[in-house]
Amino acid sequence: MRRYILDSRYWLRGWYKLPTCVYDTVTQKALFQSRENYALILKCNAQHDFDEDNLSDKENDVLNKLLEEKVIRPAGKWDMLAPKQCYHKYPARYRRTVHWSLTGACNLKCLHCFMSAPHAKHGNPTTEQLMDYMDQIEECGIFNVDITGGEPLIREDLELIVRTLRKKGINIGVIITNGMLVDEKLLDMLEENDMHPVFQVSFDGVGKHDFLRGVPGAEKKALEAIKLLVSRGYTVDCSMCVHKGNFETIPETVRLLGKMGVKSLKCGPMMESGEWLNPEVKDLHLSMEESLKITEEYIPQYFEDDAPLSILLFGAFFYEKDTGNKWGIYHEMKCSREDEDSQIVCPVLKEAFYLGADGMVVPCQGMADIDFFKDMWTLKDHRLSEILRESEYVKLSYCSVGDVRRGNSECVECEYIDKCTGNCREAAAREGNYYGVNPTSCYFYKNGWEERIRAVADPA
């Protein structure tokens, strides 16, 4: 007879529709199990006697694998599960993380802000409101938040927010910031609360950043923030909004950021909402043709510069440095007809969602200002657990490739159907049909850009 106990890093958890999970608190991964395997794991509580001779071969195999992977271990005489390890089921569907705007306000005056943060269009919630949101996030069994805004670092109650998240066992995975308020004091506070997030810093081109951000000195502050973060051991990613006035700075910007220790750069166009609609900025917008030509022309230079960092260019090309030097066509997401009803169009949406400063809950932040979502449930009217259980949001987040192919006449008749899943739903929703075509993907394939990008990315 032997007794086993769950290793201290693991918790027994369950969610609505997914009741059997071992949660790894170190990697923050939910390891979902079959009901049969879970029945064995529940007995690994230092109280149950296992008689290997009376177990089936399959049960012995499961126990041996759990031992090998160090999920369980032989129990000592006085061992017992810690209270947090004991089984708990949450009243919501599983979500790994929430992309959360702490405020709709900002300390910059960005000419292109799709959230209209210079005018705090989405509000600036009180401390009490944010505390209530955190209670609801905890209630749903969400152990990670990525915080954004507006500009999240302008909150005077930021330290209280961080302390409360820590108390609830919720980690900050990413902080998305303009960098203006990144300093030693902030980093000390995060580390005192055992938080070491990735920082995503906006940077819109060498010599061009201040123009788009609307405040003199913003570029200097962003670069100082990046330098400080890297020196303190933080992973830094950057995003660049590319337009007609700064696209020529991409090579210099990539070289500079790579030299500074930035891990990745995402280059994309302006989003068609918020401040972007002002005529002064709208004239800077790049067409799909222009964006793809910039990508095609820059890729050889990127490799000539020895790929200074990982990069994503306009959703057309990506290169992952230091991870096997993987590259590919971002639009390409293959799906056969046989798998179309089981494959989710956007895999991210079944693990994450966006929570706005005004309590809005939508699949991703890019959808925050699209009319299609204006009647979605918010935390003003419903609890988060209710929204994450059965709602229009849930239906949209689990949109399958088959839903898209049946949702419009163009996809099902397209010759590229087996290599394109329909891709980003934000772009389709902007056209008025969540299940419609993604105009960017359509343009990419139907105008021969796949072959052109492959030719310069892998000339051999």
Side-chain angles (χ1 to χ4, degrees):
M1 295 287 188
R2 298 197 67 176
R3 293 182 178 184
Y4 300 102
I5 189 167
L6 196 68
D7 186 82
S8 60
R9 70 186 277 177
Y10 296 103
W11 295 351
L12 300 170
R13 292 295 183 266
W15 285 264
Y16 178 70
K17 299 282 189 180
L18 288 171
T20 54
C21 174
V22 175
Y23 184 76
D24 187 340
T25 61
V26 175
T27 63
Q28 294 189 315
K29 290 184 178 180
L31 309 173
F32 292 102
Q33 309 290 321
S34 69
R35 289 183 180 273
E36 294 79 8
N37 289 0
Y38 209 61
L40 279 179
I41 294 171
L42 289 174
K43 294 176 182 178
C44 296
N45 56 9
Q47 306 298 313
H48 181 85
D49 289 318
F50 285 93
D51 182 355
E52 283 88 343
D53 293 335
N54 290 325
L55 293 175
S56 68
D57 289 343
K58 182 178 179 181
E59 289 172 325
N60 273 310
D61 287 344
V62 170
L63 287 174
N64 287 332
K65 185 176 181 181
L66 291 170
L67 283 166
E68 182 182 337
E69 295 176 351
K70 299 183 179 180
V71 175
I72 63 173
R73 60 175 175 81
K77 184 177 181 179
W78 305 109
D79 278 340
M80 61 186 298
L81 289 178
K84 280 190 175 182
Q85 289 184 276
C86 295
Y87 183 76
H88 180 78
K89 184 179 178 182
Y90 300 103
R93 293 176 189 265
Y94 169 74
R95 288 295 182 270
R96 183 187 60 80
T97 192
V98 51
H99 193 71
W100 183 21
S101 281
L102 299 184
T103 176
C106 187
N107 53 349
L108 293 183
K109 301 175 182 178
C110 301
L111 300 177
H112 65 305
C113 181
F114 72 97
M115 297 289 290
S116 292
H119 311 295
K121 178 180 177 180
H122 291 275
N124 190 26
T126 64
T127 300
E128 291 72 22
Q129 286 175 310
L130 292 187
M131 292 295 155
D132 177 54
Y133 290 175
M134 278 188 274
D135 287 343
Q136 295 191 53
I137 290 170
E138 180 185 32
E139 179 189 14
C140 293
I142 299 168
F143 300 111
N144 188 82
V145 296
D146 296 340
I147 62 175
T148 182
E151 171 51 50
L153 302 186
I154 67 171
R155 294 224 42 126
E156 295 182 358
D157 55 2
L158 182 64
E159 185 171 357
L160 175 60
I161 293 168
V162 173
R163 285 204 315 267
T164 305
L165 288 169
R166 179 194 176 192
K167 183 178 179 181
K168 292 179 178 296
I170 300 171
N171 181 59
I172 299 175
V174 180
I175 293 179
I176 300 170
T177 176
N178 56 40
M180 297 288 286
L181 298 176
V182 172
D183 58 18
E184 300 275 8
K185 183 179 178 181
L186 168 71
L187 303 185
D188 289 342
M189 183 272 290
L190 290 172
E191 290 165 16
E192 287 166 7
N193 286 281
D194 297 320
M195 300 287 186
H196 204 274
V198 172
F199 275 80
Q200 181 178 311
V201 181
S202 302
F203 189 75
D204 296 314
V206 175
K208 302 294 183 179
H209 186 78
D210 286 5
F211 164 73
L212 208 57
R213 298 290 157 174
V215 173
E219 180 172 337
K220 182 174 182 290
K221 292 291 291 184
L223 292 174
E224 288 175 351
I226 293 169
K227 182 179 179 180
L228 173 62
L229 287 164
V230 172
S231 73
R232 291 280 296 257
Y234 287 84
T235 296
V236 180
D237 299 324
C238 286
S239 60
M240 177 178 180
C241 183
V242 185
H243 55 82
K244 290 180 180 178
N246 72 351
F247 74 89
E248 292 181 340
T249 71
I250 291 176
E252 182 182 2
T253 299
V254 170
R255 288 191 292 266
L256 173 64
L257 296 180
K259 185 177 181 180
M260 293 182 71
V262 172
K263 293 297 183 182
S264 71
L265 175 65
K266 178 181 178 181
C267 296
M270 297 176 177
M271 297 184 68
E272 300 180 40
S273 61
E275 304 304 290
W276 178 91
L277 299 176
N278 294 331
E280 177 188 3
V281 185
K282 196 170 182 179
D283 291 342
L284 294 172
H285 184 68
L286 293 164
S287 67
M288 286 185 244
E289 179 80 6
E290 290 169 326
S291 298
L292 291 169
K293 282 184 177 178
I294 291 168
T295 300
E296 180 184 36
E297 292 172 3
Y298 172 59
I299 289 173
Q301 180 67 57
Y302 171 73
F303 287 122
E304 186 177 322
D305 291 337
D306 197 28
L309 42 62
S310 296
I311 200 163
L312 173 61
L313 294 168
F314 296 100
F317 168 82
F318 71 87
Y319 186 85
E320 296 178 0
K321 188 177 176 68
D322 300 328
T323 55
N325 296 334
K326 177 182 176 184
W327 76 273
I329 304 295
Y330 195 74
H331 288 296
E332 185 175 67
M333 298 181 186
K334 296 180 179 181
C335 180
S336 67
R337 308 288 179 110
E338 292 76 18
D339 297 329
E340 64 181 21
D341 287 325
S342 60
Q343 183 169 325
I344 304 299
V345 170
C346 179
V348 174
L349 301 188
K350 68 178 182 179
E351 291 203 344
F353 65 97
Y354 172 69
L355 172 58
D358 53 3
M360 169 189 295
V361 176
V362 290
C364 74
Q365 187 173 11
M367 300 176 180
D369 267 344
I370 300 177
D371 287 343
F372 183 89
F373 302 97
K374 64 182 179 181
D375 295 324
M376 296 279 278
W377 287 359
T378 73
L379 297 195
K380 294 178 181 178
D381 310 304
H382 300 268
R383 288 197 69 77
L384 182 60
S385 59
E386 184 180 5
I387 296 173
L388 296 186
R389 194 162 55 244
E390 299 291 350
S391 66
E392 184 66 14
Y393 153 75
V394 170
K395 177 184 176 183
L396 297 178
S397 65
Y398 286 110
C399 171
S400 71
V401 175
D403 290 331
V404 172
R405 291 175 179 176
R406 289 186 293 270
N408 69 86
S409 59
E410 293 182 58
C411 282
V412 74
E413 298 173 355
C414 181
E415 64 182 294
Y416 302 102
I417 189 171
D418 289 332
K419 62 173 63 177
C420 174
T421 62
N423 217 287
C424 179
R425 293 298 87 203
E426 172 208 318
R430 288 187 186 279
E431 302 292 316
N433 178 11
Y434 189 84
Y435 303 99
V437 301
N438 176 340
T440 306
S441 292
C442 281
Y443 187 90
F444 181 82
Y445 282 111
K446 292 181 178 179
N447 289 275
W449 280 101
E450 179 191 11
E451 294 80 8
R452 291 176 65 169
I453 296 299
R454 288 190 185 282
V456 292
D458 188 15

